[in-house]
Amino acid sequence: MVDIVAIAILAVISGSDTWVAIETYAQAKREWLETFLALPNGIPSHDTIARVFARLNPQAFEQCFHRWVGSITEAIGAQVIPIDGKTVRQSFDRNSGQKAIHVVSAWASEHRLVLGQLKVDSKSNEITAIPKLLELLDIVGCIITIDAMGCQKEIAAQIIAKNADYVLALKANQSKLEGAVNSWFEKAQSNNFEGVDHSYHHTIESAHGRIEIRKYWSVPVEQLGEIPNQEKWSGLRSVGMVMCERRLWNKTTIEVRFYISSLEHDAVVLAHAVRSHWGIENSVHWVLDMTFHEDASRIRKDNAPLNFSVLRRLSLNLLDKDKTVRGSVAMKRYRAGLDNNYLLQVIAAI
């Protein structure tokens, strides 16, 4: 089993996205693999590899992943940790009644590491999975960012109890609170925030024919007066508004978002936390789909989809962590498949 897991890790880092590809990689690299793996029966078939990962306990496999990541973050620390969910779209199986798996991941944005992941139970949603994932992580002194699904009083209380801070997106799932915050900011903005204790920050970026202007306001929660259920939000200290204006050659769009936070009002800190949260979409979910072809994966039997998702995130961590070669994750995977010495360099972090 150790040989099979080792082969799978090496193959996925090197560009393999299916069981057949893993076997093909191993056959091509057999002479090299035999220098450090036992392989008493030669290279296992793709069916054998698939059966092992279908039966491998995903909780135990994830715990190994968490322990490895923990050993890294213990040394380098982690500051902003976005938490977000992603569905592996092709992992459903109509014949067995299996729904597509949905995985919630935590991402250390400062160090580009997936800290952990947890499968959302088929009869549940992210609201129940996020607290379980938070329990697995050491988040002392970190800022946890979560989208609107995780904007829950219990989750905020759990983060505060673990000596961390939060920045939570506020939308219609907290309709009364969102309505009160929206109304207050509309009034304050119409008066140009005159007489209001607030912090402001803005950025302007241009790329690929578009201009993006982002404006951030952060105010102490006391400025809003009485807001719905304020006392039930553990550690609530500030409220923020973010206005994103995107200018293309033929149209301009404006999007407004609201946030609640346990941090002191500081628009620069709010901007950093919000941009870091967007990073989990660009640096994790997009890369998993475009480079590791996760959404197109037809791996679906038993525990195999979740275990393969661990392989992908492990590989992403290792490739992102390697700074000896400049280039995209896709090019690093390509080089790892060609250059055994580079592959050994990449896996040295394990």
Side-chain angles (χ1 to χ4, degrees), residues 323-335:
K323 304 301 179 186
T324 62
V325 171
R326 297 183 64 182
S328 66
V329 173
M331 286 300 98
K332 288 182 177 181
R333 291 186 87 193
Y334 183 60
R335 178 164 179 169

Side-chain angles (χ1 to χ4, degrees), residues 7-16 25-26 28-29 32-33 36 291-292 315-316 318-320 322 324-348:
I7 288 171
I9 292 173
L10 295 169
V12 173
I13 292 172
S14 301
S16 300
Y25 168 86
K29 298 283 186 175
W32 177 66
L33 292 172
F36 57 90
T291 303
F292 290 85
S315 301
L316 176 58
L318 290 168
L319 291 165
D320 256 343
D322 178 71
T324 62
V325 171
R326 297 183 64 182
S328 66
V329 173
M331 286 300 98
K332 288 182 177 181
R333 291 186 87 193
Y334 183 60
R335 178 164 179 169
L338 297 173
D339 185 345
N340 294 339
N341 291 328
Y342 176 65
L343 176 56
L344 289 174
Q345 184 174 291
V346 169
I347 68 170

Side-chain angles (χ1 to χ4, degrees), residues 19 24 27 32 41 73 89 108 213 317 323:
W19 305 126
T24 302
Q27 293 288 1
W32 177 66
N41 300 302
T73 56
R89 300 190 183 279
I213 303 171
N317 274 2
K323 304 301 179 186

Side-chain angles (χ1 to χ4, degrees), residues 12-57:
V12 173
I13 292 172
S14 301
S16 300
D17 297 315
T18 65
W19 305 126
V20 173
I22 290 174
E23 181 192 353
T24 302
Y25 168 86
Q27 293 288 1
K29 298 283 186 175
R30 178 169 181 168
E31 185 176 344
W32 177 66
L33 292 172
E34 286 177 337
T35 64
F36 57 90
L37 296 180
L39 299 175
N41 300 302
I43 299 299
S45 70
H46 62 271
D47 286 331
T48 299
I49 297 170
R51 281 195 295 269
V52 168
F53 279 92
R55 294 178 176 140
L56 192 65
N57 185 311

Side-chain angles (χ1 to χ4, degrees), residues 1-305:
M1 189 183 77
V2 172
D3 285 353
I4 288 174
V5 172
I7 288 171
I9 292 173
L10 295 169
V12 173
I13 292 172
S14 301
S16 300
D17 297 315
T18 65
W19 305 126
V20 173
I22 290 174
E23 181 192 353
T24 302
Y25 168 86
Q27 293 288 1
K29 298 283 186 175
R30 178 169 181 168
E31 185 176 344
W32 177 66
L33 292 172
E34 286 177 337
T35 64
F36 57 90
L37 296 180
L39 299 175
N41 300 302
I43 299 299
S45 70
H46 62 271
D47 286 331
T48 299
I49 297 170
R51 281 195 295 269
V52 168
F53 279 92
R55 294 178 176 140
L56 192 65
N57 185 311
Q59 287 74 34
F61 198 32
E62 285 178 358
Q63 285 173 6
C64 294
F65 176 72
H66 293 155
R67 283 198 296 270
W68 169 66
V69 174
S71 68
I72 297 175
T73 56
E74 184 178 355
I76 64 176
Q79 295 182 23
V80 179
I81 301 179
I83 294 178
D84 199 15
K86 180 184 184 300
T87 301
V88 183
R89 300 190 183 279
Q90 295 298 323
S91 60
F92 68 91
D93 188 347
R94 290 193 183 92
N95 292 332
S96 63
Q98 175 180 299
K99 295 182 179 179
I101 68 168
H102 188 79
V103 178
V104 175
S105 299
W107 164 253
S109 59
E110 301 289 330
H111 308 290
R112 300 181 62 84
L113 285 171
V114 178
L115 297 179
Q117 68 167 36
L118 198 68
K119 178 186 174 184
V120 177
D121 187 83
S122 60
K123 298 180 180 179
S124 182
N125 56 38
E126 290 183 20
I127 295 174
T128 57
I130 291 173
K132 295 177 182 177
L133 181 58
L134 287 171
E135 280 300 316
L136 297 174
L137 304 175
D138 180 5
I139 60 173
V140 174
C142 297
I143 301 172
I144 308 300
T145 65
I146 312 176
D147 62 15
M149 177 66 78
C151 186
Q152 304 292 328
K153 302 178 186 68
E154 296 78 10
I155 291 175
Q158 182 183 11
I159 293 170
I160 294 299
K162 298 198 72 170
N163 296 315
D165 286 295
Y166 60 80
V167 175
L168 306 178
L170 186 60
K171 289 188 180 179
N173 63 322
Q174 298 289 344
S175 57
K176 291 183 179 179
L177 180 57
E178 193 269 345
V181 171
N182 190 354
S183 298
W184 186 89
F185 270 105
E186 283 184 354
K187 183 177 179 181
Q189 196 172 21
S190 66
N191 295 324
N192 201 27
F193 288 87
E194 185 176 348
V196 175
D197 181 15
H198 72 286
S199 175
Y200 173 74
H201 177 64
H202 77 276
T203 61
I204 302 176
E205 297 178 2
S206 59
H208 308 294
R210 69 174 182 268
I211 298 175
E212 294 193 13
I213 303 171
R214 299 183 180 91
K215 301 177 181 179
Y216 304 85
W217 292 267
S218 181
V219 300
V221 69
E222 293 80 14
Q223 292 287 315
L224 277 69
E226 192 68 28
I227 60 176
N229 299 317
Q230 179 178 338
E231 72 286 350
K232 295 183 180 180
W233 289 95
S234 180
L236 178 59
R237 301 173 74 181
S238 64
V239 178
M241 180 174 77
V242 179
M243 181 179 293
C244 302
E245 180 179 342
R246 176 176 291 188
R247 299 176 182 176
L248 302 175
W249 69 273
N250 60 342
K251 66 176 181 179
T252 297
T253 59
I254 296 177
E255 183 179 8
V256 177
R257 302 186 186 96
F258 300 101
Y259 297 85
I260 59 173
S261 176
S262 61
L263 297 164
E264 290 278 3
H265 70 292
D266 188 325
V268 174
V269 175
L270 174 65
H272 177 58
V274 170
R275 292 302 304 274
S276 296
H277 188 84
W278 295 339
I280 197 172
E281 289 288 344
N282 298 328
S283 300
V284 181
H285 296 168
W286 189 88
V287 174
L288 288 172
D289 284 340
M290 301 306 294
T291 303
F292 290 85
H293 308 108
E294 182 169 75
D295 258 1
S297 175
R298 304 289 288 178
I299 295 170
R300 55 182 56 173
K301 186 171 178 58
D302 300 330
N303 297 328

